[in-house]
Amino acid sequence: RAPTTIAESLVNWVLGYLSKYWSVGFDKLAIDLSRASDEEVQFALETLGIEVKERKITDDGFAKLRSALLTIIKYLEKAGFVQYVRDYYTVNFNKGGHS
């Protein structure tokens, strides 16, 4: 479990990203998160021990990033902010708001 402020910066980045790109593939979202220039996001990833060397599923850091991102997506889905279409590995922003 991450401290709230650490997780919050990642959650806010994901929500900001999805408000611009309403539907995105899970791995594209993970790659773009790993490339985020936001200092708070980079700090959060470092704090969580996530260091992406290669943007490949075989890279340990990228695997950790995908796992953390999946957790964030699950919480956002429960809160009604996103829909994760598992069959297509697609994350959709819930434009209608949350429940």
Side-chain angles (χ1 to χ4, degrees):
R1 293 182 67 91
T4 308
T5 52
I6 297 298
E8 193 176 329
S9 62
L10 297 177
V11 169
N12 288 341
W13 185 91
V14 169
L15 285 174
Y17 184 96
L18 290 172
S19 68
K20 286 184 213 154
Y21 310 103
W22 295 344
S23 183
V24 67
F26 180 78
D27 283 326
K28 169 76 172 137
L29 183 60
I31 288 168
D32 287 352
L33 176 57
S34 75
R35 292 179 176 154
S37 58
D38 184 302
E39 285 181 24
E40 284 186 27
V41 169
Q42 288 306 318
F43 177 75
L45 294 176
E46 285 174 28
T47 303
L48 294 172
I50 296 172
E51 184 185 347
V52 177
K53 291 181 175 72
E54 290 185 278
R55 292 175 180 94
K56 295 181 180 173
I57 294 184
T58 52
D59 179 68
D60 186 51
F62 193 62
K64 285 182 182 176
L65 176 76
R66 290 176 85 247
S67 178
L69 181 58
L70 187 57
T71 301
I72 291 168
I73 295 301
K74 284 179 183 174
Y75 279 109
L76 290 175
E77 190 172 42
K78 274 187 179 174
F81 285 103
V82 302
Q83 175 193 25
Y84 182 38
V85 184
R86 285 154 181 81
D87 292 350
Y88 299 105
Y89 300 100
T90 303
V91 182
N92 299 316
F93 188 61
N94 233 350
K95 295 184 288 289
H98 54 285
S99 50

